Amino acid sequence: MTLSESAAAPVDEVVLEAVGLTKHFPVRKRLRDLFSRTPAVVHAVDDVSFALHRGRVTALVGESGSGKSTVARLLAQIYPRTAGDLRLHGTSTRVRGGRPFRSYVRRVQLILQDPFASLNPVHTVRYHLTRSLRIHGNAGRSAEDLEQALAKLLTRVSLTPPERYLDAFPHELSGGQRQRVAIARALGADPEVLLADEPVSMLDVSIRLGVLNLLQDLKERLNIAILYITHDIASARYFADETIVMYAGRMVEGGDSEIVTQNSAHPYTRLLTASAPDPERITGDGAGAGIDEAAGKDRGQGEPPSLISPPAGCRFHPRCPHAMRRCTADLPPRLTVGDRPGHWTACWLYDPATVAADAPGSAAPDADPAVPPPPALVKREDTATLGEAR
Amino acid sequence: MRTRQLLAVALAGAMATALAACGDSPNANKKNGQAATVLNVGMPNGPQAENNNPFLTTSAAASLGYRWQIFEPLMMWNPVKPADPFKPWLATKAEWSADYTSVKVTIRDNATWSDGQKLTAEDVAFTYNLVKKYPALNDQGVPYTDATASGNEVTIKMASPQFVNQQKVLWRVPIVPKHLWEKISDPTTDAVKQPVGSGPYTLKSFTPASTTLTVRDGGYWQDLPKVKELRFTSYTDNSAQTTALANGESEWSFVFIPNYQTVFVAKDQEHHKVWAPAILGIHGLYLNTTKKPFDDPALRRAMNMVIDREDIFTTAEAGYFHPLVKSVTGLPSPAGDSFIAPEFKGQDHKVDLEGAKALLTGAGYKLDGNTLKDKTGKAVTIKLTDPAGWSDYQTSLEIVKDNLSKIGIAATIDKANQDAWFRNVEQGNFEATFRWTEGGATPYDIYRTIMDGRQLKPIGTASPAGNFGRLNNQQATEALTAYANATDEAARTAAMNTLQKVFVDQMPMIPVGADNIGGAYSTKNWTGWPDDSNPYGAMQPTQPNALDVVLHLKPAGS
Amino acid sequence: MTISPSSIEQVIPGQGAMAQPSAAPGRAKRRRFRFIANAKAATGLVILGVYCLFAVIGPWVAPHNPDARSGDVLQPPSTAHWFGTTHLGQDIFSQILVGARSVMVVGLIAGVLATILSILIGVTAGYLGGAADEGLSAMSNVFLVIPALPLIIIVTSIVEQASDTLVALIIGCTSWAWGARVLRAQTLSLRRRDYVEAARATGERTWRIILFEILPNLTAIIASGFVGTVIFAVMSEITLAFIGISSVSSWNWGTILFWAQGQQALAQGAWWWFVPAGLAIALLGTALALINFGIDEFVSPRLRSAGKTRIRTADGRTVRMRVGFTPVLAPSRPVPAPREEVAP
Amino acid sequence: MRDPVLEIRGLRVDYGLGDAAVHAVRDVDLTLHRGEVLGLAGESGSGKSTLAYGLTRLLPPPGVVSGGEVIYHPVDGPPVDVLSLSPAQLRAFRWAEASIVFQGAMNSLNPVHKVSTQLLDVIRAHEPRSTAAGRLARARELLKLVGISADRLHSYPHQLSGGMRQRVMIAMALALEPQVVIMDEPTTALDVVMQRQILGQLAELRERLGFAVLFITHDLSLLVEFSDRIAIMYGGRIVEEAPAAELYRRALHPYTDGLLHSFPALRGPRRELTGIPGSPPDLRAMPTGCAFHPRCPRAFTPCDAELPPLGPPGDDDPRRAVACWLHSATAPAPR
Amino acid sequence: MRFLLQRVAFYLFTAWAAITLNFFIPRLVPGDPVQSLISRNQGRISADAIESLRVLFGLDENENVWEQYLDYWRQLIHGDLGLSFTFFPAPVSTVIGDSLPWTVGLVGITTIISFLLGTALGVGAGWRRGSWVDGLLPATTFLSSIPYFWLGLVAIALFAGPGSFFPSSGGYEPGLVPAFDQYFIPSAIQHSILPAATILVSSMSGWILSMRNMMVTVSSEDYITVAHAKGLSERRVALSYAARNALLPNVSGFALSLGFIVGGTLLVEIVFSYPGLGYQLFQAVGAKDYPLMQGIFLIITISVLVANLLADVAYLLLDPRTRKS
């Protein structure tokens, strides 16, 4: 097996690129739908574009139902995409199975969320890893080669000594150990891209870090591109180089992780960061003092929209405290925020012309008038200078 | 909980209304029926559909037998004494032509239909023409060509000599009223809901389980029977019928009762009786005469010698179902007694193991230990076949198997599927099988079924009417033809003697038991039943004789 | 049916989250056979084993030829004839011994056939989904709704010479639907399991996924379906024999009952003629049902019999294990308050 | 310090009986004061949920409470031991005095009954003399309290989103204005935005109604923000207890410290995350001494042999308690 | 409603499949009803009658299968199931009409009672694990493993027979005319007790067991814990929360297993010679009465379908989750 310790290719090279990736799931037909022309679909993912770079971690942040896991499966080509393109090293690929699929997954491997479910309870660790090695031709020629490769894989994910784990069944392992086995299985293909779908969310807090550190270590040592999908925006800040925020199947903001989390541009990202638990917020004398600071800004009771008939325009507008008339009609394009290079958001607030024509919050009639003016324009200095910069 | 209460209330309510509305209940008089006026007849035939068509074998009237209490034949024939002359009934006289292709009957003039109309020769001619017109009604298969009435005489013509079928013509055809039946559009499917006949009874009520007949007010051509009401009950199965007989609920029936002495007679030694007279139809083991080594009459005769008819009679048929056939000629007694040829008179079958062995040795067989070897040195084996569900036959086969092993023939028993068995037997695809013969007024039917060369078909082609064993015997065939077509008694006797000789020599079928036409009955309420001392008729309630029996009954103790 | 995971389940230890990898991997393999340790399953398997033994050696050890007549006609059980004799003096004990084989063979063939069919149809439908699923599901649902026994009776009655094998085939071909339905549902749920998706994402081929990822996880259901079909097949076969539709040329317990019924054994008071066969059937059915309970309890531990439900505490009280009122074992120290109804 | 409303003393909860018993909760002492939010944090298997089910005696078989007492102090009237109540008394106690909100709201609501049925039957069970109209009015009011429009009363659970169901559960928990509300991971299954909203609402309601909350979660960061005091459980025992801010600023137990360094912070400087090595202990084979010692970076001699008692730390802060030889007043000093 | 429409569509499809199957079965291997009739009357019908019977039954018609199939449908639509061979020329529909009430009365009512009673006992067994009902399970398992017909035989041997209150066969005392009066109704009830008890005994344990298992499963659901936590009365938790939910799978189970049950209970009719459909089917099979066989099978199938549909409706009423449009 050839788990390359040093990368031959330059760091930052784009390995896998999604261009306008779209996935609509057909809704089960109902009797009355027989007569309607347009079939009902779930707009799970719409027009998602981003690139995964060698040796970098890209985080995809969103709540449940935002389509982030669908993106992972589209990238792994487990689901066929409805529209858009997927470029592996610049070459458009579309595989449906068989040999092409295998050679694709050799380079792009998926790690699933639940380590309690992603390993078949009837098979041992050895079986899982051996299959992965064999399928991708990394098992070597002899039994010894295989043993070596297995030991190497387990060592790589810090399950040592390997003999202790090889013949164990999944139920005999702890959650963290299982997730490590799942990672080892993915590594058995010697991939260039790891798609990690919430790899730690099912694990205990105390073990999460170990798994994330392992991924980070792999990224550095093997120079792998990692897509880190999470609902925990704080972990994206910590772990990812770049963060993309999704809402209701669309990307709403992206850029350097630190910028996206600290200087969130999109109202949704702000809602997200404001809602995340933050011990620093405590005042010491009692609970909940700052707890509803952000919550009041959500006009939608925290409920995401239906993806079968998503809202027109910006999908966040029904909940957005700053919604403008344009938000209800036109889909906001990617707009550069301008504070840092590469920071962008899909929000009309960042289009000076729109803001000029329409007061932010004007399309949010039930918005509490006491709510402070749109932070994007007033509250924060960095965005206040935004208009000038553009 | 609530629903349960509701249900109970609803049920109670329904019961109450039902009971309240029972003023003119058809069951009101059920319990107080006078014992001395009612006769309970039973058959184990299951629920019936209302159908009183006397011509249809499938009708309730035929199945339970009450058709003969409503409709009457021209003459009565006693199957127990087949050679006895016919007893005048609706016809006072029947004159056959010498070749038996036509019969001239004289209709009695005092018979009336139950609707009051007079029974005439027209009615009789109409009936025979009806049967001729609708082959589906001609369940006896007599080739009628024409029936014409003139005055009180009717001449019925047939296409072929019917000497052997006299009873089919005169005894088996229920006479129906022309004035009603000519209006029936399709007599083959008409259920005749309101039967009008010339018999002493009329239909009172019908239910799937029982039919009640009540005696006519008058107008019957002879004395009205003492039985004022006849109840025909169709029990769901043999055991239900047996139970009903045993506890006296049923007074007359025809049903197979295993171990009948214990199960039925012992329940009331004094009154419970079984009388099962033999008729001229037998059961026996057909051997396939084309299969080696059973093409050898010597072997067949030897087999006959070891088969223990008595054992079969007592064990398999529980001593009553198929009366023992004693005579070597296969003719049952007493029905066939008068036909037995002088040379076989008094010659009864006996198990003769030594004789059989001697016969076999003489014919070139060798008994090698427990195995019989044929002339070529091959062990003789035989496969006995009968439908799986026919327990009496199966039991008989078991006994036969046992008997044959005494002369070293290894028998296997094949419990066949009924359809397959029928087909295979007709096509000659069997080695040995238990089966019945046709029955009739003369032994002709027995021998025809066994040895008729006119029915000889190659193996594989069905011969439904007989000669399943494919016996190819010119002498027998000629004798059969001669018997049926003879115009004088001497010729018939000669032919009959020949037939018996051929049968005994060839032994194409090993006779075991006779068909019976008997029944189980109780003398508790009614006496006057036929029995050995007075065998005036058949004992089966579904035969035309049943009417004669009913007319003989008298209240017990009177 | 899907059982939604209860949050309580998570806190019950031994569910793996806290387990250390075992030093002896052999222990793990035993887990698959652990259900044998289930008392019900064990009882069932032992009884079944005895039946299987009789099926194999029955015809050899039978003291008499089951067809052989003897002079002892309709005798009650005695030392010579343990279960008595028939109207022909046949030994009923021998008939039962010999009959075991036919019963077991039919059960086995029908069970295997139905199981194979149900796997083929159920798993295929569940895994493929779409039109194939719709079609196959509709087919199995049709078979499920149509009354099986009348159908089997009618089909068997029109077939001539219905041998054991044929009866088994007919039963097998008509009784796969239940298994297929259960398997389909389970496959459908397994197909969405992460490990199946993970296997696909690893690049496993479809047939391998079905064979090595899905089927092993269906073992319990397949086994339970198999046992269920065997029960049904045995009962059907015996029924067919009893009502005299299938060939009664070979002895099975239905055939014995058929003769008993045909000879009105009841009216003759020959209880020994039908009691042993019925008990043999009932015991076999019970054994198979017990095995199925064992499998059920193995699959779904909650169903296990409660074991000890009444506990005697140290101070002599008896408390009951019951949902909603966790028993308190230790005597409480005297509480600084009179125990009385808490006013709301 | 406010009055205690619920005192747990030496509570022991087992799964199974006799030698086969697994001790899931061991000698837990914990006091919930009137009107406070007490956070209970720990990893899965630490016994925190078992504690909640045990003290309310809702643990299904084979769970048994094998010792201890749970003293409830009603607003007026003498204290009672919940563990020694008869079934009828317990039924009366439940919900009226202490209600519970469970993790999975989908599973907590009976899928076949309308929200109204489930809201009304609890009121009727405890206030049999109330009128139907009165109950209905109360149910509407309760729904409004948690920000759900009253017409949702006639919905079935499956017609509500996860967030709404959890709100309904909270409304139901408050129906009888209990003194104690036990919340077992009430927001774990929800998205952060929803979680924040619900917690905000809960904080507001607590201000208004003054009930005490026992808040159980594995998310320490949430507790720090939301609760007044925090107790940390490990291996079935409480290992540390302190006011939330104190705990966050200065964790005494190495486990607490490890937990606090396990989750990344969203704001502020990027902290170093150390995490905790190893895996949580197996309850069936607990390490001797301090259960945490195999994973503890600072373990020393007595840790693997002697169980550290839960008590005030060496610096004798009366508001805090810790079970660690590092901080025990009586402990041998680290060598 | 969509759910219901779907089910109706499915049942129509199934009915079509069953009818078609029904059409083809006897045509695949044509047996000979005439021979069968003769064999039933061993020797009492002469071979000469064969011809007349053939003509009578109209067995000579030769049509191609497709035309026969269309005819078959045409007749069916007119409610014409053909003429029975055994009871010729009684229409099959008449024969079935005579026996159907008995089956519905005995098997139908008993099946429902068995389901209700079994379910109620199962609720008890599942709710109070280890109670006496739970203790009954091994016994009921054994009872349910006994073939229906054998249990019937034993019941007859033990309880029926001459002099006993329980008759061993039939649906009412022969000689009575079916009518709602004080003679017939008690007789009919008296005749139905043993068969009904047999069906109850052997079919109930299945319901007990499945309901118990569902109760046990449901008992550990969170909403049951919540119901307990709410301080609701034991009865309310057990019935309104646990049993109500546990019933749902059992209702659909009831529907699905109807086919099996009906098959099994028909045997009871055979053993007790109860004049219902099962007995008629048995007779028809013995007599190769294909029209009757077909008709009975059709009626059984359709009634099972209807029962299924009713169970679906019940499910629809019981489970609000299926009700959403």
Side-chain angles (χ1 to χ4, degrees), chain E residues 164-184:
Chain E
S164 158
F165 172 76
F166 298 111
S168 60
S169 65
Y172 53 92
E173 201 179 320
L176 288 177
V177 178
F180 284 98
D181 60 24
Q182 77 268 43
Y183 307 104
F184 180 76

PDB file of all heavy atoms in Angstrom, chain E residues 164-184:
ATOM      1  N   SER E 164     -74.733 -36.165  25.409  1.00  0.00           N
ATOM      2  CA  SER E 164     -74.090 -34.948  25.875  1.00  0.00           C
ATOM      3  C   SER E 164     -74.901 -33.742  25.442  1.00  0.00           C
ATOM      4  O   SER E 164     -75.683 -33.794  24.493  1.00  0.00           O
ATOM      5  CB  SER E 164     -72.687 -34.858  25.309  1.00  0.00           C
ATOM      6  OG  SER E 164     -72.257 -33.529  25.315  1.00  0.00           O
ATOM      7  N   PHE E 165     -74.680 -32.666  26.157  1.00  0.00           N
ATOM      8  CA  PHE E 165     -75.345 -31.425  25.763  1.00  0.00           C
ATOM      9  C   PHE E 165     -74.823 -30.938  24.423  1.00  0.00           C
ATOM     10  O   PHE E 165     -75.544 -30.347  23.640  1.00  0.00           O
ATOM     11  CB  PHE E 165     -75.104 -30.358  26.836  1.00  0.00           C
ATOM     12  CG  PHE E 165     -75.574 -28.988  26.455  1.00  0.00           C
ATOM     13  CD1 PHE E 165     -76.930 -28.675  26.488  1.00  0.00           C
ATOM     14  CD2 PHE E 165     -74.671 -28.017  26.052  1.00  0.00           C
ATOM     15  CE1 PHE E 165     -77.363 -27.411  26.133  1.00  0.00           C
ATOM     16  CE2 PHE E 165     -75.104 -26.750  25.693  1.00  0.00           C
ATOM     17  CZ  PHE E 165     -76.449 -26.449  25.747  1.00  0.00           C
ATOM     18  N   PHE E 166     -73.535 -31.210  24.187  1.00  0.00           N
ATOM     19  CA  PHE E 166     -72.923 -30.698  22.957  1.00  0.00           C
ATOM     20  C   PHE E 166     -73.086 -31.680  21.822  1.00  0.00           C
ATOM     21  O   PHE E 166     -72.644 -32.826  21.931  1.00  0.00           O
ATOM     22  CB  PHE E 166     -71.435 -30.428  23.165  1.00  0.00           C
ATOM     23  CG  PHE E 166     -71.166 -29.388  24.198  1.00  0.00           C
ATOM     24  CD1 PHE E 166     -70.585 -29.727  25.408  1.00  0.00           C
ATOM     25  CD2 PHE E 166     -71.481 -28.062  23.959  1.00  0.00           C
ATOM     26  CE1 PHE E 166     -70.332 -28.756  26.361  1.00  0.00           C
ATOM     27  CE2 PHE E 166     -71.235 -27.093  24.904  1.00  0.00           C
ATOM     28  CZ  PHE E 166     -70.665 -27.438  26.108  1.00  0.00           C
ATOM     29  N   PRO E 167     -73.685 -31.265  20.742  1.00  0.00           N
ATOM     30  CA  PRO E 167     -73.766 -32.134  19.573  1.00  0.00           C
ATOM     31  C   PRO E 167     -72.403 -32.180  18.903  1.00  0.00           C
ATOM     32  O   PRO E 167     -71.623 -31.245  19.021  1.00  0.00           O
ATOM     33  CB  PRO E 167     -74.788 -31.453  18.674  1.00  0.00           C
ATOM     34  CG  PRO E 167     -75.007 -30.106  19.232  1.00  0.00           C
ATOM     35  CD  PRO E 167     -74.264 -29.954  20.506  1.00  0.00           C
ATOM     36  N   SER E 168     -72.127 -33.288  18.241  1.00  0.00           N
ATOM     37  CA  SER E 168     -70.800 -33.400  17.658  1.00  0.00           C
ATOM     38  C   SER E 168     -70.751 -32.903  16.225  1.00  0.00           C
ATOM     39  O   SER E 168     -69.681 -32.770  15.666  1.00  0.00           O
ATOM     40  CB  SER E 168     -70.335 -34.846  17.709  1.00  0.00           C
ATOM     41  OG  SER E 168     -71.236 -35.640  16.983  1.00  0.00           O
ATOM     42  N   SER E 169     -71.882 -32.664  15.638  1.00  0.00           N
ATOM     43  CA  SER E 169     -71.810 -32.184  14.272  1.00  0.00           C
ATOM     44  C   SER E 169     -73.065 -31.414  13.904  1.00  0.00           C
ATOM     45  O   SER E 169     -74.066 -31.445  14.616  1.00  0.00           O
ATOM     46  CB  SER E 169     -71.611 -33.343  13.297  1.00  0.00           C
ATOM     47  OG  SER E 169     -72.747 -34.157  13.333  1.00  0.00           O
ATOM     48  N   GLY E 170     -72.944 -30.742  12.782  1.00  0.00           N
ATOM     49  CA  GLY E 170     -74.082 -30.000  12.265  1.00  0.00           C
ATOM     50  C   GLY E 170     -74.175 -28.608  12.832  1.00  0.00           C
ATOM     51  O   GLY E 170     -73.471 -28.238  13.774  1.00  0.00           O
ATOM     52  N   GLY E 171     -75.050 -27.835  12.242  1.00  0.00           N
ATOM     53  CA  GLY E 171     -75.207 -26.456  12.659  1.00  0.00           C
ATOM     54  C   GLY E 171     -76.441 -26.263  13.517  1.00  0.00           C
ATOM     55  O   GLY E 171     -76.561 -25.281  14.231  1.00  0.00           O
ATOM     56  N   TYR E 172     -77.386 -27.186  13.435  1.00  0.00           N
ATOM     57  CA  TYR E 172     -78.585 -27.123  14.254  1.00  0.00           C
ATOM     58  C   TYR E 172     -79.198 -28.510  14.233  1.00  0.00           C
ATOM     59  O   TYR E 172     -78.797 -29.379  13.457  1.00  0.00           O
ATOM     60  CB  TYR E 172     -79.567 -26.080  13.721  1.00  0.00           C
ATOM     61  CG  TYR E 172     -79.922 -26.234  12.260  1.00  0.00           C
ATOM     62  CD1 TYR E 172     -81.026 -26.971  11.868  1.00  0.00           C
ATOM     63  CD2 TYR E 172     -79.131 -25.640  11.280  1.00  0.00           C
ATOM     64  CE1 TYR E 172     -81.352 -27.110  10.527  1.00  0.00           C
ATOM     65  CE2 TYR E 172     -79.430 -25.784   9.935  1.00  0.00           C
ATOM     66  CZ  TYR E 172     -80.539 -26.510   9.562  1.00  0.00           C
ATOM     67  OH  TYR E 172     -80.839 -26.655   8.244  1.00  0.00           O
ATOM     68  N   GLU E 173     -80.131 -28.703  15.072  1.00  0.00           N
ATOM     69  CA  GLU E 173     -80.747 -30.004  15.165  1.00  0.00           C
ATOM     70  C   GLU E 173     -81.456 -30.328  13.860  1.00  0.00           C
ATOM     71  O   GLU E 173     -82.276 -29.541  13.378  1.00  0.00           O
ATOM     72  CB  GLU E 173     -81.759 -29.996  16.308  1.00  0.00           C
ATOM     73  CG  GLU E 173     -82.077 -31.389  16.808  1.00  0.00           C
ATOM     74  CD  GLU E 173     -83.056 -31.304  17.945  1.00  0.00           C
ATOM     75  OE1 GLU E 173     -82.897 -30.380  18.776  1.00  0.00           O
ATOM     76  OE2 GLU E 173     -83.967 -32.128  17.987  1.00  0.00           O
ATOM     77  N   PRO E 174     -81.154 -31.474  13.275  1.00  0.00           N
ATOM     78  CA  PRO E 174     -81.817 -31.796  12.018  1.00  0.00           C
ATOM     79  C   PRO E 174     -83.322 -31.856  12.262  1.00  0.00           C
ATOM     80  O   PRO E 174     -83.756 -32.294  13.321  1.00  0.00           O
ATOM     81  CB  PRO E 174     -81.288 -33.182  11.668  1.00  0.00           C
ATOM     82  CG  PRO E 174     -80.127 -33.410  12.544  1.00  0.00           C
ATOM     83  CD  PRO E 174     -80.263 -32.528  13.735  1.00  0.00           C
ATOM     84  N   GLY E 175     -84.063 -31.423  11.299  1.00  0.00           N
ATOM     85  CA  GLY E 175     -85.508 -31.444  11.471  1.00  0.00           C
ATOM     86  C   GLY E 175     -86.041 -30.068  11.773  1.00  0.00           C
ATOM     87  O   GLY E 175     -87.196 -29.776  11.529  1.00  0.00           O
ATOM     88  N   LEU E 176     -85.178 -29.216  12.280  1.00  0.00           N
ATOM     89  CA  LEU E 176     -85.613 -27.845  12.499  1.00  0.00           C
ATOM     90  C   LEU E 176     -85.514 -27.067  11.200  1.00  0.00           C
ATOM     91  O   LEU E 176     -84.661 -27.349  10.357  1.00  0.00           O
ATOM     92  CB  LEU E 176     -84.737 -27.165  13.554  1.00  0.00           C
ATOM     93  CG  LEU E 176     -84.937 -27.624  14.997  1.00  0.00           C
ATOM     94  CD1 LEU E 176     -83.961 -26.910  15.897  1.00  0.00           C
ATOM     95  CD2 LEU E 176     -86.365 -27.349  15.434  1.00  0.00           C
ATOM     96  N   VAL E 177     -86.394 -26.131  11.062  1.00  0.00           N
ATOM     97  CA  VAL E 177     -86.347 -25.265   9.901  1.00  0.00           C
ATOM     98  C   VAL E 177     -85.647 -23.978  10.337  1.00  0.00           C
ATOM     99  O   VAL E 177     -86.041 -23.388  11.337  1.00  0.00           O
ATOM    100  CB  VAL E 177     -87.763 -24.950   9.396  1.00  0.00           C
ATOM    101  CG1 VAL E 177     -87.703 -24.003   8.210  1.00  0.00           C
ATOM    102  CG2 VAL E 177     -88.480 -26.235   9.039  1.00  0.00           C
ATOM    103  N   PRO E 178     -84.593 -23.576   9.630  1.00  0.00           N
ATOM    104  CA  PRO E 178     -83.919 -22.348  10.030  1.00  0.00           C
ATOM    105  C   PRO E 178     -84.901 -21.191  10.092  1.00  0.00           C
ATOM    106  O   PRO E 178     -85.561 -20.857   9.118  1.00  0.00           O
ATOM    107  CB  PRO E 178     -82.887 -22.128   8.944  1.00  0.00           C
ATOM    108  CG  PRO E 178     -82.637 -23.483   8.395  1.00  0.00           C
ATOM    109  CD  PRO E 178     -83.962 -24.194   8.492  1.00  0.00           C
ATOM    110  N   ALA E 179     -85.040 -20.631  11.259  1.00  0.00           N
ATOM    111  CA  ALA E 179     -85.928 -19.493  11.455  1.00  0.00           C
ATOM    112  C   ALA E 179     -85.537 -18.862  12.770  1.00  0.00           C
ATOM    113  O   ALA E 179     -84.896 -19.494  13.617  1.00  0.00           O
ATOM    114  CB  ALA E 179     -87.390 -19.954  11.512  1.00  0.00           C
ATOM    115  N   PHE E 180     -85.892 -17.642  12.930  1.00  0.00           N
ATOM    116  CA  PHE E 180     -85.557 -16.995  14.192  1.00  0.00           C
ATOM    117  C   PHE E 180     -86.661 -17.309  15.211  1.00  0.00           C
ATOM    118  O   PHE E 180     -87.567 -16.528  15.419  1.00  0.00           O
ATOM    119  CB  PHE E 180     -85.423 -15.481  14.007  1.00  0.00           C
ATOM    120  CG  PHE E 180     -84.122 -15.129  13.339  1.00  0.00           C
ATOM    121  CD1 PHE E 180     -84.056 -14.884  11.981  1.00  0.00           C
ATOM    122  CD2 PHE E 180     -82.961 -15.048  14.098  1.00  0.00           C
ATOM    123  CE1 PHE E 180     -82.859 -14.580  11.377  1.00  0.00           C
ATOM    124  CE2 PHE E 180     -81.756 -14.739  13.493  1.00  0.00           C
ATOM    125  CZ  PHE E 180     -81.710 -14.508  12.131  1.00  0.00           C
ATOM    126  N   ASP E 181     -86.602 -18.446  15.796  1.00  0.00           N
ATOM    127  CA  ASP E 181     -87.625 -18.766  16.776  1.00  0.00           C
ATOM    128  C   ASP E 181     -86.998 -19.457  17.975  1.00  0.00           C
ATOM    129  O   ASP E 181     -85.797 -19.722  18.012  1.00  0.00           O
ATOM    130  CB  ASP E 181     -88.736 -19.619  16.154  1.00  0.00           C
ATOM    131  CG  ASP E 181     -88.217 -20.928  15.616  1.00  0.00           C
ATOM    132  OD1 ASP E 181     -87.162 -21.389  16.092  1.00  0.00           O
ATOM    133  OD2 ASP E 181     -88.848 -21.475  14.708  1.00  0.00           O
ATOM    134  N   GLN E 182     -87.796 -19.773  18.936  1.00  0.00           N
ATOM    135  CA  GLN E 182     -87.243 -20.280  20.184  1.00  0.00           C
ATOM    136  C   GLN E 182     -86.755 -21.718  20.076  1.00  0.00           C
ATOM    137  O   GLN E 182     -86.204 -22.249  21.019  1.00  0.00           O
ATOM    138  CB  GLN E 182     -88.260 -20.137  21.328  1.00  0.00           C
ATOM    139  CG  GLN E 182     -89.371 -21.165  21.324  1.00  0.00           C
ATOM    140  CD  GLN E 182     -90.595 -20.695  20.553  1.00  0.00           C
ATOM    141  OE1 GLN E 182     -90.473 -20.125  19.471  1.00  0.00           O
ATOM    142  NE2 GLN E 182     -91.771 -20.913  21.116  1.00  0.00           N
ATOM    143  N   TYR E 183     -87.013 -22.373  18.973  1.00  0.00           N
ATOM    144  CA  TYR E 183     -86.490 -23.718  18.803  1.00  0.00           C
ATOM    145  C   TYR E 183     -85.158 -23.685  18.096  1.00  0.00           C
ATOM    146  O   TYR E 183     -84.225 -24.369  18.455  1.00  0.00           O
ATOM    147  CB  TYR E 183     -87.467 -24.581  17.992  1.00  0.00           C
ATOM    148  CG  TYR E 183     -88.858 -24.583  18.561  1.00  0.00           C
ATOM    149  CD1 TYR E 183     -89.869 -23.844  17.975  1.00  0.00           C
ATOM    150  CD2 TYR E 183     -89.146 -25.339  19.702  1.00  0.00           C
ATOM    151  CE1 TYR E 183     -91.137 -23.843  18.506  1.00  0.00           C
ATOM    152  CE2 TYR E 183     -90.425 -25.336  20.245  1.00  0.00           C
ATOM    153  CZ  TYR E 183     -91.423 -24.586  19.640  1.00  0.00           C
ATOM    154  OH  TYR E 183     -92.670 -24.589  20.170  1.00  0.00           O
ATOM    155  N   PHE E 184     -85.120 -22.877  17.066  1.00  0.00           N
ATOM    156  CA  PHE E 184     -83.958 -22.915  16.197  1.00  0.00           C
ATOM    157  C   PHE E 184     -82.753 -22.209  16.807  1.00  0.00           C
ATOM    158  O   PHE E 184     -81.638 -22.742  16.798  1.00  0.00           O
ATOM    159  CB  PHE E 184     -84.304 -22.280  14.844  1.00  0.00           C
ATOM    160  CG  PHE E 184     -83.152 -22.276  13.902  1.00  0.00           C
ATOM    161  CD1 PHE E 184     -82.786 -23.452  13.258  1.00  0.00           C
ATOM    162  CD2 PHE E 184     -82.426 -21.132  13.682  1.00  0.00           C
ATOM    163  CE1 PHE E 184     -81.717 -23.465  12.404  1.00  0.00           C
ATOM    164  CE2 PHE E 184     -81.362 -21.147  12.825  1.00  0.00           C
ATOM    165  CZ  PHE E 184     -81.001 -22.317  12.186  1.00  0.00           C
TER     166      PHE E 184
END
